[in-house]
Structures are given as structure tokens and as C-alpha cells.
PDB file of all heavy atoms in Angstrom:
ATOM      1  N   ARG N   9    -208.915  -3.193  37.684  1.00 98.00           N
ATOM      2  CA  ARG N   9    -209.682  -3.982  36.642  1.00 98.00           C
ATOM      3  C   ARG N   9    -208.833  -5.172  36.160  1.00 98.00           C
ATOM      4  O   ARG N   9    -209.401  -6.245  35.912  1.00 98.00           O
ATOM      5  CB  ARG N   9    -210.001  -3.092  35.440  1.00 98.00           C
ATOM      6  CG  ARG N   9    -211.076  -2.075  35.740  1.00 98.00           C
ATOM      7  CD  ARG N   9    -211.364  -1.133  34.585  1.00 98.00           C
ATOM      8  NE  ARG N   9    -211.887  -1.820  33.434  1.00 98.00           N
ATOM      9  CZ  ARG N   9    -212.038  -1.315  32.216  1.00 98.00           C
ATOM     10  NH1 ARG N   9    -211.567  -0.119  32.001  1.00 98.00           N
ATOM     11  NH2 ARG N   9    -212.500  -2.087  31.247  1.00 98.00           N
ATOM     12  N   ILE N  10    -207.473  -5.028  36.077  1.00 98.00           N
ATOM     13  CA  ILE N  10    -206.632  -6.111  35.689  1.00 98.00           C
ATOM     14  C   ILE N  10    -206.673  -7.182  36.812  1.00 98.00           C
ATOM     15  O   ILE N  10    -206.799  -8.413  36.468  1.00 98.00           O
ATOM     16  CB  ILE N  10    -205.114  -5.704  35.504  1.00 98.00           C
ATOM     17  CG1 ILE N  10    -205.032  -4.816  34.227  1.00 98.00           C
ATOM     18  CG2 ILE N  10    -204.167  -6.827  35.382  1.00 98.00           C
ATOM     19  CD1 ILE N  10    -203.738  -4.060  34.022  1.00 98.00           C
ATOM     20  N   VAL N  11    -206.627  -6.751  38.045  1.00 97.00           N
ATOM     21  CA  VAL N  11    -206.671  -7.785  39.136  1.00 97.00           C
ATOM     22  C   VAL N  11    -208.029  -8.508  39.088  1.00 97.00           C
ATOM     23  O   VAL N  11    -208.041  -9.748  39.230  1.00 97.00           O
ATOM     24  CB  VAL N  11    -206.543  -7.029  40.574  1.00 97.00           C
ATOM     25  CG1 VAL N  11    -206.957  -7.977  41.674  1.00 97.00           C
ATOM     26  CG2 VAL N  11    -205.118  -6.535  40.682  1.00 97.00           C
ATOM     27  N   LYS N  12    -209.120  -7.814  38.864  1.00 98.00           N
ATOM     28  CA  LYS N  12    -210.450  -8.505  38.802  1.00 98.00           C
ATOM     29  C   LYS N  12    -210.482  -9.451  37.666  1.00 98.00           C
ATOM     30  O   LYS N  12    -210.997 -10.606  37.845  1.00 98.00           O
ATOM     31  CB  LYS N  12    -211.537  -7.421  38.708  1.00 98.00           C
ATOM     32  CG  LYS N  12    -212.933  -7.982  38.675  1.00 98.00           C
ATOM     33  CD  LYS N  12    -213.994  -6.991  38.687  1.00 98.00           C
ATOM     34  CE  LYS N  12    -215.341  -7.625  38.609  1.00 98.00           C
ATOM     35  NZ  LYS N  12    -216.445  -6.675  38.298  1.00 98.00           N
ATOM     36  N   ALA N  13    -209.953  -9.042  36.532  1.00 98.00           N
ATOM     37  CA  ALA N  13    -209.892 -10.011  35.376  1.00 98.00           C
ATOM     38  C   ALA N  13    -209.042 -11.232  35.624  1.00 98.00           C
ATOM     39  O   ALA N  13    -209.379 -12.362  35.207  1.00 98.00           O
ATOM     40  CB  ALA N  13    -209.428  -9.289  34.102  1.00 98.00           C
ATOM     41  N   VAL N  14    -207.937 -11.023  36.328  1.00 97.00           N
ATOM     42  CA  VAL N  14    -207.048 -12.199  36.675  1.00 97.00           C
ATOM     43  C   VAL N  14    -207.812 -13.172  37.614  1.00 97.00           C
ATOM     44  O   VAL N  14    -207.794 -14.380  37.447  1.00 97.00           O
ATOM     45  CB  VAL N  14    -205.788 -11.748  37.341  1.00 97.00           C
ATOM     46  CG1 VAL N  14    -204.999 -12.938  37.962  1.00 97.00           C
ATOM     47  CG2 VAL N  14    -204.854 -11.039  36.347  1.00 97.00           C
ATOM     48  N   GLN N  15    -208.480 -12.585  38.608  1.00 97.00           N
ATOM     49  CA  GLN N  15    -209.263 -13.420  39.584  1.00 97.00           C
ATOM     50  C   GLN N  15    -210.387 -14.209  38.907  1.00 97.00           C
ATOM     51  O   GLN N  15    -210.751 -15.310  39.286  1.00 97.00           O
ATOM     52  CB  GLN N  15    -209.833 -12.553  40.679  1.00 97.00           C
ATOM     53  CG  GLN N  15    -208.748 -11.928  41.590  1.00 97.00           C
ATOM     54  CD  GLN N  15    -209.326 -10.896  42.522  1.00 97.00           C
ATOM     55  OE1 GLN N  15    -210.280 -10.260  42.266  1.00 97.00           O
ATOM     56  NE2 GLN N  15    -208.530 -10.676  43.619  1.00 97.00           N
ATOM     57  N   GLU N  16    -210.910 -13.591  37.861  1.00 97.00           N
ATOM     58  CA  GLU N  16    -211.984 -14.275  37.100  1.00 97.00           C
ATOM     59  C   GLU N  16    -211.473 -15.218  36.020  1.00 97.00           C
ATOM     60  O   GLU N  16    -212.204 -15.971  35.372  1.00 97.00           O
ATOM     61  CB  GLU N  16    -212.953 -13.223  36.457  1.00 97.00           C
ATOM     62  CG  GLU N  16    -213.725 -12.422  37.490  1.00 97.00           C
ATOM     63  CD  GLU N  16    -214.453 -11.204  36.825  1.00 97.00           C
ATOM     64  OE1 GLU N  16    -214.216 -10.938  35.619  1.00 97.00           O
ATOM     65  OE2 GLU N  16    -215.195 -10.570  37.522  1.00 97.00           O
ATOM     66  N   GLY N  17    -210.177 -15.210  35.864  1.00 96.00           N
ATOM     67  CA  GLY N  17    -209.541 -16.097  34.794  1.00 96.00           C
ATOM     68  C   GLY N  17    -209.803 -15.631  33.383  1.00 96.00           C
ATOM     69  O   GLY N  17    -209.685 -16.385  32.437  1.00 96.00           O
ATOM     70  N   ARG N  18    -210.069 -14.308  33.234  1.00 97.00           N
ATOM     71  CA  ARG N  18    -210.334 -13.787  31.872  1.00 97.00           C
ATOM     72  C   ARG N  18    -209.112 -13.135  31.305  1.00 97.00           C
ATOM     73  O   ARG N  18    -208.932 -11.992  31.288  1.00 97.00           O
ATOM     74  CB  ARG N  18    -211.470 -12.791  31.946  1.00 97.00           C
ATOM     75  CG  ARG N  18    -212.797 -13.332  32.514  1.00 97.00           C
ATOM     76  CD  ARG N  18    -213.877 -12.298  32.730  1.00 97.00           C
ATOM     77  NE  ARG N  18    -214.224 -11.641  31.489  1.00 97.00           N
ATOM     78  CZ  ARG N  18    -215.007 -10.605  31.355  1.00 97.00           C
ATOM     79  NH1 ARG N  18    -215.448  -9.995  32.435  1.00 97.00           N
ATOM     80  NH2 ARG N  18    -215.258 -10.054  30.157  1.00 97.00           N
ATOM     81  N   TRP N  19    -208.256 -14.101  30.785  1.00 97.00           N
ATOM     82  CA  TRP N  19    -206.901 -13.669  30.347  1.00 97.00           C
ATOM     83  C   TRP N  19    -206.916 -12.747  29.117  1.00 97.00           C
ATOM     84  O   TRP N  19    -206.040 -11.900  28.947  1.00 97.00           O
ATOM     85  CB  TRP N  19    -206.041 -14.853  30.205  1.00 97.00           C
ATOM     86  CG  TRP N  19    -205.795 -15.477  31.564  1.00 97.00           C
ATOM     87  CD1 TRP N  19    -206.368 -16.626  32.012  1.00 97.00           C
ATOM     88  CD2 TRP N  19    -204.946 -15.016  32.547  1.00 97.00           C
ATOM     89  NE1 TRP N  19    -205.964 -16.837  33.302  1.00 97.00           N
ATOM     90  CE2 TRP N  19    -205.063 -15.880  33.658  1.00 97.00           C
ATOM     91  CE3 TRP N  19    -204.109 -13.906  32.672  1.00 97.00           C
ATOM     92  CZ2 TRP N  19    -204.404 -15.721  34.873  1.00 97.00           C
ATOM     93  CZ3 TRP N  19    -203.380 -13.767  33.849  1.00 97.00           C
ATOM     94  CH2 TRP N  19    -203.535 -14.632  34.916  1.00 97.00           C
ATOM     95  N   GLY N  20    -207.904 -12.912  28.278  1.00 97.00           N
ATOM     96  CA  GLY N  20    -208.049 -12.036  27.051  1.00 97.00           C
ATOM     97  C   GLY N  20    -208.331 -10.577  27.566  1.00 97.00           C
ATOM     98  O   GLY N  20    -207.696  -9.629  27.016  1.00 97.00           O
ATOM     99  N   LYS N  21    -209.136 -10.410  28.598  1.00 97.00           N
ATOM    100  CA  LYS N  21    -209.446  -9.126  29.101  1.00 97.00           C
ATOM    101  C   LYS N  21    -208.197  -8.591  29.781  1.00 97.00           C
ATOM    102  O   LYS N  21    -207.914  -7.402  29.781  1.00 97.00           O
ATOM    103  CB  LYS N  21    -210.595  -9.168  30.096  1.00 97.00           C
ATOM    104  CG  LYS N  21    -211.044  -7.823  30.563  1.00 97.00           C
ATOM    105  CD  LYS N  21    -212.374  -7.884  31.242  1.00 97.00           C
ATOM    106  CE  LYS N  21    -212.803  -6.457  31.681  1.00 97.00           C
ATOM    107  NZ  LYS N  21    -214.092  -6.435  32.291  1.00 97.00           N
ATOM    108  N   VAL N  22    -207.500  -9.430  30.530  1.00 97.00           N
ATOM    109  CA  VAL N  22    -206.204  -9.052  31.203  1.00 97.00           C
ATOM    110  C   VAL N  22    -205.257  -8.378  30.218  1.00 97.00           C
ATOM    111  O   VAL N  22    -204.778  -7.265  30.366  1.00 97.00           O
ATOM    112  CB  VAL N  22    -205.443 -10.193  31.907  1.00 97.00           C
ATOM    113  CG1 VAL N  22    -204.164  -9.814  32.372  1.00 97.00           C
ATOM    114  CG2 VAL N  22    -206.367 -10.698  33.094  1.00 97.00           C
ATOM    115  N   HIS N  23    -205.029  -9.077  29.071  1.00 97.00           N
ATOM    116  CA  HIS N  23    -204.159  -8.581  28.009  1.00 97.00           C
ATOM    117  C   HIS N  23    -204.666  -7.316  27.439  1.00 97.00           C
ATOM    118  O   HIS N  23    -203.867  -6.388  27.160  1.00 97.00           O
ATOM    119  CB  HIS N  23    -203.904  -9.629  26.957  1.00 97.00           C
ATOM    120  CG  HIS N  23    -203.251 -10.867  27.424  1.00 97.00           C
ATOM    121  ND1 HIS N  23    -203.516 -12.129  26.926  1.00 97.00           N
ATOM    122  CD2 HIS N  23    -202.349 -11.040  28.483  1.00 97.00           C
ATOM    123  CE1 HIS N  23    -202.728 -12.992  27.647  1.00 97.00           C
ATOM    124  NE2 HIS N  23    -202.057 -12.361  28.562  1.00 97.00           N
ATOM    125  N   ALA N  24    -205.979  -7.211  27.216  1.00 97.00           N
ATOM    126  CA  ALA N  24    -206.492  -5.951  26.646  1.00 97.00           C
ATOM    127  C   ALA N  24    -206.345  -4.781  27.625  1.00 97.00           C
ATOM    128  O   ALA N  24    -206.023  -3.659  27.209  1.00 97.00           O
ATOM    129  CB  ALA N  24    -208.013  -6.165  26.321  1.00 97.00           C
ATOM    130  N   LEU N  25    -206.578  -5.022  28.876  1.00 98.00           N
ATOM    131  CA  LEU N  25    -206.406  -3.971  29.919  1.00 98.00           C
ATOM    132  C   LEU N  25    -204.948  -3.520  30.046  1.00 98.00           C
ATOM    133  O   LEU N  25    -204.594  -2.409  30.280  1.00 98.00           O
ATOM    134  CB  LEU N  25    -207.012  -4.411  31.258  1.00 98.00           C
ATOM    135  CG  LEU N  25    -208.493  -4.494  31.298  1.00 98.00           C
ATOM    136  CD1 LEU N  25    -208.999  -5.230  32.507  1.00 98.00           C
ATOM    137  CD2 LEU N  25    -209.132  -3.100  31.145  1.00 98.00           C
ATOM    138  N   GLN N  26    -204.045  -4.550  29.938  1.00 97.00           N
ATOM    139  CA  GLN N  26    -202.622  -4.223  30.013  1.00 97.00           C
ATOM    140  C   GLN N  26    -202.186  -3.405  28.840  1.00 97.00           C
ATOM    141  O   GLN N  26    -201.410  -2.461  29.018  1.00 97.00           O
ATOM    142  CB  GLN N  26    -201.777  -5.510  30.066  1.00 97.00           C
ATOM    143  CG  GLN N  26    -201.844  -6.234  31.431  1.00 97.00           C
ATOM    144  CD  GLN N  26    -201.092  -7.595  31.404  1.00 97.00           C
ATOM    145  OE1 GLN N  26    -201.070  -8.301  30.385  1.00 97.00           O
ATOM    146  NE2 GLN N  26    -200.440  -7.871  32.504  1.00 97.00           N
ATOM    147  N   HIS N  27    -202.726  -3.747  27.644  1.00 97.00           N
ATOM    148  CA  HIS N  27    -202.446  -2.959  26.443  1.00 97.00           C
ATOM    149  C   HIS N  27    -202.953  -1.502  26.691  1.00 97.00           C
ATOM    150  O   HIS N  27    -202.268  -0.565  26.320  1.00 97.00           O
ATOM    151  CB  HIS N  27    -203.122  -3.622  25.269  1.00 97.00           C
ATOM    152  CG  HIS N  27    -202.912  -2.847  23.977  1.00 97.00           C
ATOM    153  ND1 HIS N  27    -201.757  -3.008  23.210  1.00 97.00           N
ATOM    154  CD2 HIS N  27    -203.645  -1.935  23.356  1.00 97.00           C
ATOM    155  CE1 HIS N  27    -201.855  -2.209  22.146  1.00 97.00           C
ATOM    156  NE2 HIS N  27    -202.973  -1.562  22.235  1.00 97.00           N
ATOM    157  N   LEU N  28    -204.128  -1.406  27.202  1.00 97.00           N
ATOM    158  CA  LEU N  28    -204.767  -0.076  27.439  1.00 97.00           C
ATOM    159  C   LEU N  28    -203.920   0.756  28.422  1.00 97.00           C
ATOM    160  O   LEU N  28    -203.606   1.872  28.186  1.00 97.00           O
ATOM    161  CB  LEU N  28    -206.140  -0.208  27.967  1.00 97.00           C
ATOM    162  CG  LEU N  28    -206.971   1.048  28.239  1.00 97.00           C
ATOM    163  CD1 LEU N  28    -207.110   1.870  26.932  1.00 97.00           C
ATOM    164  CD2 LEU N  28    -208.324   0.753  28.884  1.00 97.00           C
ATOM    165  N   LEU N  29    -203.419   0.078  29.464  1.00 97.00           N
ATOM    166  CA  LEU N  29    -202.581   0.731  30.448  1.00 97.00           C
ATOM    167  C   LEU N  29    -201.227   1.196  29.842  1.00 97.00           C
ATOM    168  O   LEU N  29    -200.792   2.310  30.066  1.00 97.00           O
ATOM    169  CB  LEU N  29    -202.423  -0.124  31.662  1.00 97.00           C
ATOM    170  CG  LEU N  29    -201.480   0.397  32.806  1.00 97.00           C
ATOM    171  CD1 LEU N  29    -201.920   1.764  33.279  1.00 97.00           C
ATOM    172  CD2 LEU N  29    -201.467  -0.581  33.921  1.00 97.00           C
ATOM    173  N   THR N  30    -200.584   0.332  29.176  1.00 96.00           N
ATOM    174  CA  THR N  30    -199.293   0.638  28.590  1.00 96.00           C
ATOM    175  C   THR N  30    -199.324   1.619  27.474  1.00 96.00           C
ATOM    176  O   THR N  30    -198.290   2.187  27.097  1.00 96.00           O
ATOM    177  CB  THR N  30    -198.498  -0.618  28.162  1.00 96.00           C
ATOM    178  OG1 THR N  30    -199.319  -1.322  27.178  1.00 96.00           O
ATOM    179  CG2 THR N  30    -198.179  -1.500  29.371  1.00 96.00           C
ATOM    180  N   HIS N  31    -200.491   1.880  26.862  1.00 96.00           N
ATOM    181  CA  HIS N  31    -200.614   2.818  25.823  1.00 96.00           C
ATOM    182  C   HIS N  31    -201.277   4.081  26.283  1.00 96.00           C
ATOM    183  O   HIS N  31    -201.542   5.052  25.489  1.00 96.00           O
ATOM    184  CB  HIS N  31    -201.383   2.176  24.658  1.00 96.00           C
ATOM    185  CG  HIS N  31    -200.545   1.174  23.871  1.00 96.00           C
ATOM    186  ND1 HIS N  31    -200.296  -0.049  24.392  1.00 96.00           N
ATOM    187  CD2 HIS N  31    -199.922   1.246  22.700  1.00 96.00           C
ATOM    188  CE1 HIS N  31    -199.528  -0.738  23.498  1.00 96.00           C
ATOM    189  NE2 HIS N  31    -199.279   0.075  22.533  1.00 96.00           N
ATOM    190  N   SER N  32    -201.732   4.103  27.533  1.00 96.00           N
ATOM    191  CA  SER N  32    -202.418   5.277  28.040  1.00 96.00           C
ATOM    192  C   SER N  32    -201.425   6.448  28.374  1.00 96.00           C
ATOM    193  O   SER N  32    -200.237   6.191  28.849  1.00 96.00           O
ATOM    194  CB  SER N  32    -203.180   4.944  29.314  1.00 96.00           C
ATOM    195  OG  SER N  32    -202.352   4.727  30.434  1.00 96.00           O
TER     196      SER N  32
END
């Protein structure tokens, strides 16, 4: 999901998914 968000240029979503991953 992070890769897909990066490819779409959705950096807010990238950061949210990274936060979710590092807190999971």
C-alpha cells in the first residue's frame, strides 16, 4: 500500500501508512 501511494504521489497517505506500519 505504501508503494502504491508513492506511485500515485499521495505523500500524506504514505506517511499515514508508514505510521500505521511502525506502530503495528
Side-chain angles (χ1 to χ4, degrees):
R9 290 176 64 194
I10 291 170
V11 168
K12 185 177 178 191
V14 169
Q15 291 169 338
E16 294 171 351
R18 298 175 64 190
W19 294 102
K21 186 170 184 176
V22 169
H23 295 149
L25 290 167
Q26 287 176 322
H27 179 84
L28 182 61
L29 177 54
T30 57
H31 289 74
S32 72

